[in-house]
Amino acid sequence: MPSSLTMSRYTKSGATMLLLAGALAVSACKTTAPKELPPEPGPATTTTTPSQPIGPVPGSQADFLAKMMGADTIYFDTDKYDIDSMDQAALARQAQWLMQYPGKRATIEGHCDERGTREYNLALGERRANAAKNYLVSLGVDASRLSTISYGKERPVALGSNEQAWAQNRRAVTITVD
C-alpha cells in the first residue's frame, strides 16, 4: 500500500497535469482576427432549372385544340355534307393553324348519327370528311397533308335517341398527326 506521502505526490502531479491540459485547451481556442475580412456575400441566387413554357407544346394536338377552342369540329344537318358559313369560319381557323405548321399532317374524321344503316352512314361520313378536306385544300392547305376516314355512326360523342344527341354526332373532326 502506498504511503500518504506518495499519495500526496500523485495528487499534486495529477492536479498539475490537469492544470496544464486545461491551459493548453484554452490557448488552443484562442482566435485572432484575420488581417483581411472576406467579401460580403452577393445577392441570393437559386439553382432551379429554367422553367418550361406554360401551356401546350406549339405544333402539338393539344396546341391545335387550345387554339381552335371548339373549331376543330364542324357540324352538319341531317343527311347533309355541305359546308355552311359557320363551318367555313372554323375551317379557316384550322387552315391558318395548319399553314403555321407546314410539317404537320391532319386526319379528318367523318361521323353520323345513329339513324340509317351502317353502310349509308359510312358513305355519308366519308362525304362529310371529304367536304371538310376539300375546303381546307381550297384555302391553301396541301392535299397530301390531309387524309380522311369515316366512322359512320360507330363513334358517337352524345348518347341518346333525340335531336340534341343526333345533332352533336353529325360532325367532321380534324385531328393533327405528329
Side-chain angles (χ1 to χ4, degrees), residues 8 61 78 102 104 120 153 164 166:
S8 170
Q61 173 66 17
T78 305
K104 293 295 284 189
Y120 176 80
K153 61 183 178 179
Q164 184 181 6
W166 294 331

Side-chain angles (χ1 to χ4, degrees), residues 70-84:
D72 62 315
T73 304
I74 60 172
Y75 297 94
F76 298 92
D77 291 329
T78 305
D79 296 324
K80 303 286 184 187
Y81 57 93
D82 54 325
I83 304 293
D84 64 19

Side-chain angles (χ1 to χ4, degrees), residues 23-81:
L24 185 61
V26 169
S27 68
C29 293
K30 182 180 174 189
T31 59
T32 58
K35 294 179 182 172
E36 184 178 324
L37 292 175
E40 288 290 321
T45 59
T46 60
T47 58
T48 59
T49 58
S51 64
Q52 294 288 338
I54 297 174
V57 175
S60 66
Q61 173 66 17
D63 179 52
F64 178 73
L65 292 174
K67 297 277 175 42
M68 292 303 108
M69 297 186 303
D72 62 315
T73 304
I74 60 172
Y75 297 94
F76 298 92
D77 291 329
T78 305
D79 296 324
K80 303 286 184 187
Y81 57 93

